[in-house]
Amino acid sequence: MMISVKRIILIALCAAIAASMLTACGSKESTSSDQTSSAAADINSGIVSTADTPSDENSEGIDYMALVNKLHPLPDGWEDAVETVHVTNSLGDDVEVEKKAYDAYLALKEDLEKDGVKVDLDSARRSVADQQRIMDDFTKEYGADYAMKTVATPGYSEHHTGLALDLYLNIDGEDVYLNEDMVQYPEVWAKIHEKLPEYGFILRYLEDKEHITGYGYEPWHLRYIDNVDAAKEITSKGITLEEYLGAVNSSDVEIDLGNSSIYTEEELKEAAVQVKCRFATFKGCELHTLRYAGDDANNEENLERLNLLDEDAQFIQVVEFTSDFHTPMDGSEVFQPDREMTDYQWWLAREADGGWQLLTWGY
């Protein structure tokens, strides 16, 4: 059975946790009120609370609106303050999640089941140490370049918070947890997303917002913010947490995929998403336009050049995009301040059986 990267990382995490255990032997705005108490009580006996943060004060000490992404690390002291619980999902995996977020999840789950939608928790919290072990394992097994493309940088993953929940589906009695299978049920995810704000959740990684979040669309990735009004505003406006918090300047992006006789529109969209995810790390920059540069870029000279950038790869096709964007008023380590950058190049390539890899960018 094919296992997605998402499941591989989760399995590696569970192994790391097991190894460490063997070695070391209510208002409407707050969804942990009466609305969640009955559901939580039903399965309370199956929950194991973390022993290192037993006090309610610690839970109150975290900022439920904290921004953690590719530019913003986990706030200092978070891991000492967060209170979590451990639960076992239907796949037999241990899942650790922030306690208040879990109470809200139970209420959401109960509400969804009334509409015939069944979900379970695939993953939630990963500590910085766990993420570093995963990174080290992937680096040892597959090399540093692959690890950096596949595993979130330790300290910069939203899963460190315990407030990011990845769901999977149960369809007609069968668990559906592989990413490529879950995306085949957009109507089910639509029902789930509709109910999120009522319980203080938002959909974290939106379609067409990759240049802001740094991640592609993930219908299963929820974020608990403990504020129903804010969740409703974010959802109704179709904005990201970054935009709501004012961490970025929102900008509309014009995508021009042109006309290609080599690639399908879907293939070019996949390449464009890779570019936008990388652009999200250009701090303070506003992306305006992203254009497919045309089929002429797919030639032997460019193919040879990109293959030299990854000695272990055997790329067979090349794609070039160009972009226009504005640099921040106060400048950055790379760009001059308050400047419109035009025809900025992005080069991607792929092997016969692989997806697009972004290899180089610039003038």
Side-chain angles (χ1 to χ4, degrees):
M1 176 177 65
M2 291 294 294
I3 300 179
S4 67
V5 169
K6 178 173 172 236
R7 296 291 307 155
I8 291 173
I9 292 175
L10 182 58
I11 291 169
L13 170 61
C14 291
I17 292 174
S20 64
M21 290 177 68
L22 288 172
T23 303
C25 291
S27 65
K28 190 175 182 182
E29 286 75 12
S30 176
T31 56
S32 60
S33 60
D34 293 343
Q35 199 171 28
T36 66
S37 58
S38 61
D42 289 341
I43 64 170
N44 187 56
S45 60
I47 301 174
V48 180
S49 179
T50 51
D52 56 342
T53 55
S55 128
D56 286 338
E57 290 183 4
N58 285 339
S59 176
E60 293 298 320
I62 67 172
D63 176 9
Y64 286 91
M65 298 290 287
L67 178 62
V68 179
N69 61 18
K70 291 181 176 181
L71 292 174
H72 296 81
L74 186 72
D76 292 339
W78 187 281
E79 293 189 306
D80 293 329
V82 66
E83 182 178 5
T84 64
V85 296
H86 284 266
V87 296
T88 302
N89 65 16
S90 66
L91 301 171
D93 297 328
D94 175 83
V95 181
E96 182 183 8
V97 59
E98 194 273 335
K99 187 177 185 300
K100 201 170 183 180
Y102 184 67
D103 289 342
Y105 160 74
L106 290 179
L108 170 65
K109 178 183 174 75
E110 184 177 56
D111 192 2
L112 288 169
E113 288 181 352
K114 295 176 183 177
D115 292 338
V117 176
K118 295 184 178 181
V119 299
D120 207 339
L121 282 177
D122 191 353
S123 64
R125 181 176 181 266
R126 294 192 293 267
S127 71
V128 176
D130 289 332
Q131 192 76 10
Q132 186 63 59
R133 279 193 291 270
I134 294 171
M135 175 66 80
D136 293 343
D137 289 344
F138 269 63
T139 300
K140 182 178 180 180
E141 184 71 20
Y142 304 107
D145 288 343
Y146 181 86
M148 287 299 295
K149 295 171 185 174
T150 308
V151 182
T153 302
Y156 289 80
S157 170
E158 191 176 59
H159 278 289
H160 295 327
T161 65
L163 305 175
L165 281 61
D166 285 347
L167 305 183
Y168 65 92
L169 307 174
N170 184 284
I171 305 294
D172 297 328
E174 297 290 332
D175 289 327
V176 180
Y177 53 83
L178 296 180
N179 295 355
E180 55 266 34
D181 293 334
M182 289 196 290
V183 296
Q184 304 303 317
Y185 297 93
E187 70 286 351
V188 177
W189 291 114
K191 292 179 180 179
I192 296 171
H193 298 161
E194 184 179 3
K195 292 181 180 292
L196 296 184
E198 292 291 343
Y199 300 94
F201 287 100
I202 60 172
L203 180 63
R204 185 64 179 91
Y205 301 134
L206 303 176
E207 200 166 11
D208 299 326
K209 295 284 189 176
E210 300 90 352
H211 61 294
I212 292 176
T213 65
Y215 294 95
Y217 173 60
E218 294 186 0
W220 49 80
H221 185 111
L222 317 183
R223 166 62 192 269
Y224 183 62
I225 60 173
D226 191 35
N227 186 318
V228 170
D229 288 338
K232 287 182 176 180
E233 182 178 352
I234 290 170
T235 302
S236 64
K237 291 182 176 179
I239 60 176
T240 64
L241 184 59
E242 285 86 353
E243 292 169 296
Y244 179 79
L245 296 175
V248 298
N249 294 323
S250 300
S251 61
D252 294 329
V253 181
E254 179 183 345
I255 306 295
D256 182 2
L257 300 179
N259 295 305
S260 175
S261 61
I262 302 174
Y263 308 115
T264 66
E265 181 177 333
E266 188 60 34
E267 289 173 321
L268 291 176
K269 283 182 178 179
E270 290 173 359
V273 165
Q274 293 295 321
V275 173
K276 292 170 71 179
C277 287
R278 171 58 67 175
F279 185 85
T281 66
F282 285 22
K283 187 176 182 180
C285 293
E286 298 177 24
L287 183 61
H288 297 152
T289 306
L290 185 62
R291 299 175 296 273
Y292 174 56
D295 290 349
D296 290 344
N298 186 51
N299 58 52
E300 290 299 325
E301 181 181 353
N302 287 329
L303 189 59
E304 180 179 0
R305 177 170 60 89
L306 294 186
N307 269 301
L308 289 175
L309 297 178
D310 189 339
E311 296 179 355
D312 296 326
Q314 294 182 338
F315 298 123
I316 63 168
Q317 288 181 313
V318 174
V319 158
E320 179 194 5
F321 279 84
T322 60
S323 63
D324 303 333
F325 61 91
H326 203 86
T327 64
M329 295 292 292
D330 56 356
S332 68
E333 296 179 359
V334 178
F335 304 113
Q336 294 181 7
D338 193 21
R339 182 178 176 185
E340 188 70 16
M341 311 292 286
T342 60
D343 295 327
Y344 191 87
Q345 298 174 325
W346 306 82
W347 291 91
L348 306 93
R350 67 179 180 184
E351 297 180 275
D353 58 350
W356 294 111
Q357 295 186 43
L358 179 60
L359 295 165
T360 186
W361 51 91
Y363 288 116

Coordinates of all heavy atoms in Angstrom, one line a residue, residues 67 69-71 202-219 221 233-255 269 272-282 285-287 290:
L67 N 1.0 33.2 15.8 CA 1.3 32.9 14.4 C 2.6 32.1 14.3 O 3.6 32.6 14.7 CB 1.4 34.2 13.6 CG 1.8 34.0 12.1 CD1 0.7 33.2 11.3 CD2 2.0 35.4 11.4
N69 N 4.7 30.0 11.4 CA 4.8 29.7 10.0 C 6.3 29.7 9.5 O 7.2 29.6 10.4 CB 4.0 30.6 9.1 CG 4.4 32.0 9.1 OD1 5.5 32.4 9.6 ND2 3.5 32.9 8.7
K70 N 6.6 29.7 8.3 CA 7.9 29.6 7.8 C 8.8 30.8 8.2 O 10.0 30.7 8.1 CB 7.9 29.4 6.3 CG 7.4 28.0 5.8 CD 7.4 27.9 4.3 CE 7.0 26.5 3.9 NZ 7.0 26.3 2.5
L71 N 8.2 31.9 8.6 CA 8.9 33.1 9.0 C 8.8 33.4 10.5 O 9.6 34.1 11.0 CB 8.4 34.3 8.2 CG 8.7 34.3 6.7 CD1 8.0 35.5 6.1 CD2 10.2 34.4 6.5
I202 N -10.4 27.4 12.2 CA -10.3 28.0 10.9 C -9.6 26.9 10.0 O -8.9 26.1 10.5 CB -9.6 29.3 10.8 CG1 -8.1 29.1 11.3 CG2 -10.3 30.4 11.5 CD1 -7.2 30.4 11.0
L203 N -9.9 27.0 8.7 CA -9.1 26.2 7.7 C -7.8 27.0 7.5 O -7.8 28.2 7.1 CB -9.9 26.1 6.4 CG -9.2 25.3 5.3 CD1 -9.0 23.9 5.7 CD2 -10.0 25.3 4.0
R204 N -6.7 26.4 7.8 CA -5.5 27.1 7.9 C -4.8 27.4 6.5 O -4.3 28.5 6.3 CB -4.5 26.3 8.7 CG -3.2 27.1 9.0 CD -3.4 28.3 9.8 NE -2.1 29.0 10.1 CZ -1.6 29.9 9.3 NH1 -2.2 30.3 8.2 NH2 -0.4 30.4 9.6
Y205 N -4.8 26.4 5.6 CA -4.1 26.6 4.3 C -5.0 26.6 3.2 O -5.5 25.5 2.7 CB -3.0 25.5 4.2 CG -2.0 25.4 5.3 CD1 -1.7 24.2 5.9 CD2 -1.4 26.6 5.7 CE1 -0.7 24.2 6.9 CE2 -0.5 26.6 6.8 CZ -0.2 25.4 7.4 OH 0.7 25.4 8.4
L206 N -5.4 27.8 2.7 CA -6.4 28.0 1.7 C -5.8 27.9 0.3 O -4.7 28.1 0.1 CB -7.0 29.4 1.9 CG -7.6 29.7 3.2 CD1 -8.1 31.2 3.3 CD2 -8.8 28.8 3.6
E207 N -6.7 27.5 -0.6 CA -6.4 27.5 -2.0 C -6.1 28.9 -2.5 O -6.8 29.8 -2.1 CB -7.5 26.8 -2.8 CG -7.1 26.3 -4.1 CD -8.1 25.3 -4.8 OE1 -9.2 25.3 -4.2 OE2 -7.8 24.7 -5.7
D208 N -5.1 29.0 -3.3 CA -4.7 30.3 -3.9 C -4.0 31.3 -3.0 O -3.8 32.4 -3.3 CB -5.9 31.0 -4.6 CG -6.5 30.2 -5.7 OD1 -5.7 29.5 -6.4 OD2 -7.7 30.2 -5.9
K209 N -3.8 30.8 -1.7 CA -3.1 31.7 -0.7 C -1.7 31.2 -0.4 O -1.1 31.5 0.6 CB -4.0 31.8 0.5 CG -5.3 32.5 0.4 CD -5.2 34.0 0.3 CE -6.5 34.7 0.3 NZ -6.4 36.1 0.4
E210 N -1.2 30.3 -1.3 CA 0.1 29.7 -1.0 C 1.3 30.7 -0.8 O 2.2 30.5 -0.1 CB 0.5 28.7 -2.1 CG -0.5 27.6 -2.3 CD -1.6 27.9 -3.3 OE1 -1.6 29.1 -3.7 OE2 -2.4 27.0 -3.6
H211 N 1.2 31.8 -1.5 CA 2.2 32.9 -1.4 C 2.2 33.6 -0.1 O 3.1 34.3 0.2 CB 2.0 33.9 -2.6 CG 0.7 34.6 -2.5 ND1 -0.5 34.0 -2.7 CD2 0.5 35.9 -2.3 CE1 -1.4 34.9 -2.6 NE2 -0.9 36.1 -2.4
I212 N 1.2 33.3 0.7 CA 1.1 33.9 2.0 C 1.4 32.9 3.1 O 2.1 33.1 4.0 CB -0.3 34.5 2.3 CG1 -0.5 35.8 1.3 CG2 -0.5 34.9 3.7 CD1 -1.9 36.4 1.4
T213 N 0.7 31.7 3.0 CA 0.9 30.7 4.1 C 2.2 29.9 3.9 O 2.7 29.4 4.9 CB -0.3 29.7 4.1 OG1 -0.3 29.0 2.8 CG2 -1.6 30.5 4.2
G214 N 2.6 29.7 2.6 CA 3.8 28.9 2.4 C 3.5 27.4 2.2 O 4.4 26.6 2.0
Y215 N 2.2 27.1 2.2 CA 1.8 25.7 2.0 C 0.6 25.6 1.0 O -0.2 26.5 0.9 CB 1.4 25.1 3.4 CG 2.5 25.0 4.4 CD1 2.7 26.0 5.3 CD2 3.3 23.9 4.3 CE1 3.7 25.9 6.2 CE2 4.4 23.8 5.2 CZ 4.6 24.8 6.2 OH 5.6 24.7 7.1
G216 N 0.6 24.5 0.3 CA -0.5 24.2 -0.6 C -1.8 24.0 0.2 O -1.8 23.8 1.4
Y217 N -2.9 24.0 -0.6 CA -4.2 23.7 0.0 C -4.3 22.4 0.7 O -4.0 21.4 0.2 CB -5.3 23.8 -1.1 CG -6.7 23.4 -0.7 CD1 -7.3 24.1 0.3 CD2 -7.3 22.3 -1.3 CE1 -8.6 23.8 0.6 CE2 -8.6 22.0 -1.0 CZ -9.3 22.7 0.0 OH -10.5 22.3 0.4
E218 N -4.7 22.4 2.0 CA -4.9 21.2 2.8 C -6.3 21.2 3.4 O -6.4 21.9 4.5 CB -3.8 21.1 3.8 CG -2.4 20.9 3.3 CD -1.3 20.7 4.3 OE1 -1.7 20.6 5.5 OE2 -0.2 20.5 4.0
P219 N -7.2 20.6 2.9 CA -8.6 20.6 3.5 C -8.7 20.0 4.8 O -9.6 20.2 5.6 CB -9.4 19.8 2.4 CG -8.5 18.9 1.7 CD -7.2 19.7 1.7
H221 N -6.3 20.3 7.3 CA -5.5 21.0 8.3 C -6.3 22.1 9.0 O -6.5 23.2 8.4 CB -4.2 21.5 7.7 CG -3.3 22.1 8.7 ND1 -2.1 21.5 9.0 CD2 -3.3 23.3 9.4 CE1 -1.4 22.3 9.9 NE2 -2.2 23.4 10.1
E233 N -15.1 35.7 11.1 CA -14.6 36.8 10.2 C -13.6 36.3 9.2 O -13.6 36.6 8.1 CB -14.0 37.9 11.1 CG -13.5 39.1 10.2 CD -13.0 40.2 11.1 OE1 -13.1 40.2 12.3 OE2 -12.4 41.2 10.5
I234 N -12.6 35.5 9.7 CA -11.6 34.9 8.9 C -12.2 34.1 7.8 O -11.8 34.2 6.6 CB -10.6 34.1 9.7 CG1 -9.7 35.1 10.6 CG2 -9.6 33.3 8.8 CD1 -8.9 34.4 11.6
T235 N -13.1 33.3 8.2 CA -13.8 32.3 7.2 C -14.6 33.1 6.2 O -14.6 32.8 5.0 CB -14.6 31.3 8.0 OG1 -13.8 30.6 8.9 CG2 -15.3 30.3 7.0
S236 N -15.4 34.0 6.7 CA -16.4 34.7 5.8 C -15.6 35.6 4.8 O -16.1 35.7 3.6 CB -17.3 35.6 6.6 OG -16.6 36.6 7.3
K237 N -14.5 36.1 5.2 CA -13.7 37.0 4.3 C -12.8 36.1 3.4 O -12.2 36.7 2.4 CB -12.9 38.0 5.1 CG -13.7 39.0 5.8 CD -12.8 40.0 6.5 CE -13.6 41.2 7.1 NZ -12.8 42.1 7.8
G238 N -12.6 34.9 3.7 CA -11.7 34.0 2.9 C -10.3 34.4 3.0 O -9.5 34.4 2.0
I239 N -9.8 34.9 4.2 CA -8.5 35.3 4.4 C -7.7 34.3 5.3 O -8.3 33.4 5.9 CB -8.4 36.7 5.0 CG1 -9.1 36.7 6.4 CG2 -9.1 37.7 4.1 CD1 -9.0 38.0 7.2
T240 N -6.4 34.5 5.3 CA -5.6 33.7 6.1 C -5.3 34.3 7.5 O -5.7 35.4 7.8 CB -4.2 33.5 5.5 OG1 -3.5 34.8 5.4 CG2 -4.3 33.0 4.1
L241 N -4.8 33.5 8.4 CA -4.5 34.0 9.7 C -3.4 35.1 9.6 O -3.5 36.1 10.4 CB -3.9 32.8 10.6 CG -3.6 33.2 12.1 CD1 -4.9 33.7 12.8 CD2 -3.0 32.0 12.8
E242 N -2.5 35.0 8.7 CA -1.5 36.0 8.5 C -2.1 37.3 8.2 O -1.8 38.4 8.7 CB -0.5 35.6 7.4 CG 0.5 34.6 7.7 CD 0.0 33.1 7.6 OE1 -1.3 33.0 7.3 OE2 0.7 32.2 7.7
E243 N -3.1 37.3 7.3 CA -3.8 38.5 6.9 C -4.6 39.1 8.0 O -4.7 40.3 8.2 CB -4.7 38.2 5.7 CG -3.9 37.9 4.4 CD -4.8 37.4 3.3 OE1 -5.4 36.3 3.5 OE2 -4.9 38.0 2.2
Y244 N -5.3 38.3 8.7 CA -6.1 38.7 9.8 C -5.3 39.4 10.9 O -5.7 40.4 11.5 CB -6.9 37.6 10.5 CG -7.8 37.9 11.6 CD1 -9.0 38.5 11.4 CD2 -7.3 37.7 13.0 CE1 -9.8 38.9 12.5 CE2 -8.1 38.1 14.0 CZ -9.4 38.7 13.8 OH -10.1 39.0 14.9
L245 N -4.1 38.9 11.2 CA -3.2 39.5 12.2 C -2.4 40.6 11.7 O -1.7 41.3 12.4 CB -2.3 38.4 12.7 CG -3.0 37.2 13.5 CD1 -2.0 36.1 13.8 CD2 -3.7 37.7 14.7
G246 N -2.5 40.9 10.4 CA -1.7 42.0 9.8 C -0.3 41.7 9.7 O 0.6 42.6 9.6
A247 N 0.1 40.4 9.6 CA 1.5 40.0 9.4 C 2.0 40.2 8.0 O 3.2 40.2 7.8 CB 1.7 38.6 9.9
V248 N 1.0 40.3 7.1 CA 1.4 40.5 5.6 C 0.5 41.5 5.0 O -0.6 41.8 5.6 CB 1.2 39.2 4.8 CG1 2.2 38.1 5.4 CG2 -0.2 38.7 4.8
N249 N 0.9 42.1 3.9 CA 0.1 43.0 3.2 C -0.6 42.1 2.1 O 0.0 41.6 1.2 CB 0.9 44.1 2.5 CG 1.5 45.0 3.5 OD1 0.9 45.4 4.5 ND2 2.7 45.5 3.2
S250 N -1.9 42.0 2.2 CA -2.7 41.2 1.2 C -2.5 41.8 -0.2 O -2.5 43.0 -0.4 CB -4.2 41.2 1.6 OG -4.3 40.6 2.9
S251 N -2.4 40.9 -1.1 CA -2.3 41.3 -2.5 C -2.9 40.3 -3.4 O -2.8 39.1 -3.2 CB -0.9 41.6 -2.9 OG -0.1 40.4 -2.8
D252 N -3.7 40.7 -4.4 CA -4.2 39.8 -5.4 C -3.1 39.4 -6.4 O -2.3 40.2 -6.8 CB -5.4 40.4 -6.2 CG -6.6 40.7 -5.3 OD1 -6.8 40.0 -4.3 OD2 -7.2 41.7 -5.5
V253 N -3.1 38.1 -6.7 CA -2.0 37.6 -7.6 C -2.6 37.2 -8.9 O -3.6 36.4 -8.9 CB -1.3 36.4 -7.0 CG1 -0.2 35.9 -7.9 CG2 -0.7 36.8 -5.6
E254 N -2.1 37.7 -10.0 CA -2.6 37.3 -11.3 C -1.7 36.1 -11.8 O -0.5 36.3 -11.9 CB -2.5 38.5 -12.3 CG -2.9 38.1 -13.7 CD -2.7 39.3 -14.7 OE1 -2.5 40.4 -14.2 OE2 -2.7 39.1 -15.9
I255 N -2.3 35.0 -12.1 CA -1.6 33.8 -12.6 C -1.9 33.7 -14.0 O -3.0 33.5 -14.5 CB -2.0 32.6 -11.8 CG1 -1.9 32.7 -10.3 CG2 -1.2 31.4 -12.3 CD1 -0.5 32.9 -9.8
K269 N -0.3 24.4 -12.9 CA -0.8 24.9 -11.6 C 0.0 24.3 -10.5 O 0.3 25.0 -9.5 CB -2.3 24.5 -11.5 CG -3.2 25.4 -12.2 CD -4.7 24.9 -12.0 CE -5.7 25.8 -12.7 NZ -7.1 25.4 -12.4
A272 N 3.2 26.2 -10.3 CA 3.0 27.5 -9.8 C 2.9 27.5 -8.3 O 3.3 28.4 -7.6 CB 1.8 28.1 -10.5
V273 N 2.2 26.5 -7.8 CA 2.0 26.4 -6.3 C 3.4 26.2 -5.6 O 3.6 26.8 -4.6 CB 1.1 25.2 -6.0 CG1 1.2 24.8 -4.5 CG2 -0.3 25.5 -6.3
Q274 N 4.3 25.5 -6.2 CA 5.7 25.3 -5.7 C 6.3 26.7 -5.6 O 7.0 27.0 -4.6 CB 6.5 24.4 -6.5 CG 6.0 23.0 -6.5 CD 6.2 22.3 -5.2 OE1 7.1 22.5 -4.4 NE2 5.2 21.5 -4.8
V275 N 6.2 27.5 -6.6 CA 6.8 28.8 -6.6 C 6.2 29.7 -5.5 O 6.9 30.4 -4.8 CB 6.6 29.5 -8.0 CG1 7.1 31.0 -8.0 CG2 7.4 28.8 -9.1
K276 N 4.8 29.7 -5.4 CA 4.2 30.5 -4.5 C 4.5 30.1 -3.0 O 4.7 31.0 -2.2 CB 2.6 30.4 -4.7 CG 2.2 31.1 -6.0 CD 0.7 30.8 -6.3 CE -0.2 31.5 -5.4 NZ -1.6 31.2 -5.7
C277 N 4.7 28.8 -2.8 CA 5.1 28.4 -1.4 C 6.4 28.9 -1.1 O 6.7 29.3 0.1 CB 5.1 26.9 -1.4 SG 3.4 26.1 -1.3
R278 N 7.4 29.0 -2.0 CA 8.7 29.5 -1.7 C 8.6 31.0 -1.5 O 9.3 31.6 -0.7 CB 9.6 29.2 -2.9 CG 11.0 29.9 -2.8 CD 11.7 29.6 -1.5 NE 12.1 28.2 -1.4 CZ 12.9 27.7 -0.4 NH1 13.3 28.5 0.5 NH2 13.2 26.4 -0.4
F279 N 7.8 31.7 -2.3 CA 7.7 33.1 -2.3 C 7.2 33.6 -0.9 O 7.6 34.7 -0.4 CB 6.7 33.7 -3.3 CG 6.6 35.2 -3.3 CD1 7.5 35.9 -4.1 CD2 5.7 35.9 -2.6 CE1 7.5 37.3 -4.1 CE2 5.6 37.2 -2.6 CZ 6.6 38.0 -3.3
A280 N 6.5 32.7 -0.2 CA 6.0 33.1 1.2 C 7.1 33.4 2.1 O 6.9 34.0 3.2 CB 5.1 32.0 1.7
T281 N 8.3 32.9 1.8 CA 9.5 33.1 2.7 C 10.2 34.4 2.3 O 11.2 34.8 3.0 CB 10.5 32.0 2.6 OG1 11.1 31.9 1.2 CG2 9.8 30.6 2.8
F282 N 9.7 35.1 1.3 CA 10.3 36.5 1.0 C 9.6 37.5 1.9 O 8.6 38.1 1.5 CB 10.0 36.8 -0.5 CG 10.9 36.1 -1.5 CD1 11.5 34.9 -1.2 CD2 11.1 36.6 -2.8 CE1 12.3 34.2 -2.1 CE2 11.8 35.9 -3.7 CZ 12.5 34.7 -3.4
C285 N 7.5 40.9 1.1 CA 7.3 41.1 -0.3 C 5.9 40.8 -0.7 O 5.2 39.9 -0.1 CB 8.2 40.3 -1.1 SG 10.0 40.7 -1.0
E286 N 5.3 41.6 -1.7 CA 4.0 41.4 -2.2 C 4.0 40.8 -3.6 O 4.5 41.5 -4.5 CB 3.2 42.7 -2.2 CG 3.0 43.3 -0.8 CD 2.3 44.6 -0.8 OE1 1.6 44.9 -1.8 OE2 2.5 45.4 0.1
L287 N 3.5 39.6 -3.8 CA 3.5 39.0 -5.2 C 2.3 39.6 -6.0 O 1.2 39.6 -5.5 CB 3.4 37.5 -5.1 CG 3.4 36.7 -6.4 CD1 4.7 36.9 -7.1 CD2 3.1 35.2 -6.1
L290 N 2.4 36.1 -11.6 CA 3.2 34.9 -11.9 C 2.9 34.4 -13.2 O 1.7 34.1 -13.5 CB 3.0 33.9 -10.8 CG 3.9 32.6 -10.8 CD1 5.3 33.0 -10.6 CD2 3.4 31.6 -9.8

